[in-house]
Amino acid sequence: MRRPLVAGNWKMHGSRAEIATLLDELMQVDSAKTTAETVVCPPFVYLQDAIRRLKESTIAVGAQSVCAEPIGAFTGEVSAAMLKDIGCRYVIVGHSERRALYHEDDHLVARKFVAAQSQKLTPILCVGETLEERESGRTEGVVARQLDAVLTVASVAAFADAVIAYEPVWAIGTGKNATPEQAQAVHAFIRGRISARDDKIAGGLRILYGGSCKASNAAEIFRMPDVDGGLVGGASLKSEEFGRICASA
Ligand code: 13P
């Protein structure tokens, strides 16, 4: 069976002191048994603090992005080898904010996915449609295009050690989550697309839901057969709330 995973994407929030407090609180919550694997993704500059602080805990640490290039003259970038070096285990690639605000296209996202795996980091590949794309009936087409870009550059075998997060753009930070049925439909579509190439890999692939996921809606969304946990933004900055989300996975 697939072990549920709940990842907190802290985006560009928190100070060193606030993150220390949040991590200490999360460790207490974490020990209060959840079967879900828990990952936190702080901003780059706090990754090392987080890794040190979580050393004795079961909470893993992920980065929010990574450079597609392995090394060299790329001012401002952080390589997969550097993330690996400090003890990161996961990295988010293709978040809609990176796609929209920093113009990361499908091919670049695919290269980041490959760069992460080249250092044995587990990529959390984000896919999802905008409101306009959904309303014009293009959800599946958009998600297929985003997935296929990675399948072209990597292979289906790469998904044996990867996580996908379905994050409808219209649900991110809006308070308006996808319904469990809407999430399930797209998750099943994603699994089906991987399954068409390799049924076994599709069966083991964890597909997370993200977008206004909170303690009050997590349980009903996570109950859907193709939803294997969540990628949580705002609600992951509150330890008690995040703990409840993890417990419902
Ligand atoms: P919210 O949970 O704040 O909607 O953010 C979702 C997200 O973008 C996680 O990556």
Side-chain angles (χ1 to χ4, degrees):
M1 260 322 279
R2 302 185 291 270
R3 185 180 176 201
L5 189 158
V6 179
N9 175 7
W10 293 349
K11 308 191 181 183
M12 201 169 73
H13 291 294
S15 64
R16 196 175 191 187
E18 283 165 353
I19 285 178
T21 306
L22 181 54
L23 289 169
D24 288 348
E25 289 171 2
L26 285 178
M27 280 189 277
Q28 301 196 341
V29 174
D30 188 56
S31 56
K33 55 178 153 301
T34 151
T35 52
E37 186 177 348
T38 309
V39 181
V40 292
C41 304
F44 278 130
V45 290
Y46 302 129
L47 284 172
Q48 217 164 354
D49 274 359
I51 289 161
R52 284 203 198 101
R53 214 167 188 98
L54 294 171
K55 213 169 179 167
E56 306 298 323
S57 95
T58 56
I59 304 173
V61 175
Q64 298 174 15
S65 185
V66 65
C67 185
E69 304 296 338
I71 190 169
F74 300 100
T75 302
E77 290 292 296
V78 175
S79 73
M82 292 169 183
L83 296 176
K84 184 69 182 178
D85 194 23
I86 61 162
C88 254
R89 300 223 348 249
Y90 287 86
V91 59
I92 298 171
V93 298
H95 192 280
S96 68
E97 288 150 18
R98 302 287 326 166
R99 292 179 190 263
L101 304 173
Y102 301 98
H103 314 295
E104 294 189 5
D105 63 17
D106 292 334
H107 184 65
L108 180 62
V109 171
R111 291 179 56 236
K112 289 182 175 218
F113 181 103
V114 170
Q117 285 196 330
S118 75
Q119 294 295 327
K120 304 223 171 339
L121 296 166
T122 302
I124 301 175
L125 169 67
C126 299
V127 298
E129 81 290 0
T130 63
L131 185 61
E132 194 240 311
E133 287 162 343
R134 170 163 286 264
E135 287 178 343
S136 56
R138 288 185 287 146
T139 298
E140 291 189 352
V142 168
V143 169
R145 190 200 74 220
Q146 292 169 336
L147 275 182
D148 291 355
V150 179
L151 285 163
T152 303
V153 174
S155 68
V156 69
F159 284 87
D161 193 21
V163 174
I164 294 178
Y166 168 56
E167 296 206 313
V169 179
W170 49 270
I172 296 176
T174 59
K176 191 178 181 298
N177 59 285
T179 65
E181 293 72 24
Q182 284 173 324
Q184 169 58 25
V186 181
H187 282 231
F189 173 77
I190 292 169
R191 201 180 302 288
R193 197 142 188 110
I194 302 293
S195 173
R197 304 191 189 217
D198 191 311
D199 200 39
K200 187 153 177 273
I201 287 173
L205 177 65
R206 292 185 290 184
I207 308 176
L208 315 182
Y209 169 77
S212 298
C213 188
K214 330 178 245 286
S216 59
N217 60 29
E220 57 172 12
I221 298 174
F222 295 171
R223 202 175 295 127
M224 304 311 280
D226 287 297
V227 179
D228 306 304
L231 179 56
V232 185
S236 70
L237 292 160
K238 293 170 254 167
S239 54
E240 202 259 341
E241 173 105 14
F242 190 58
R244 281 164 58 205
I245 296 172
C246 293
S248 51

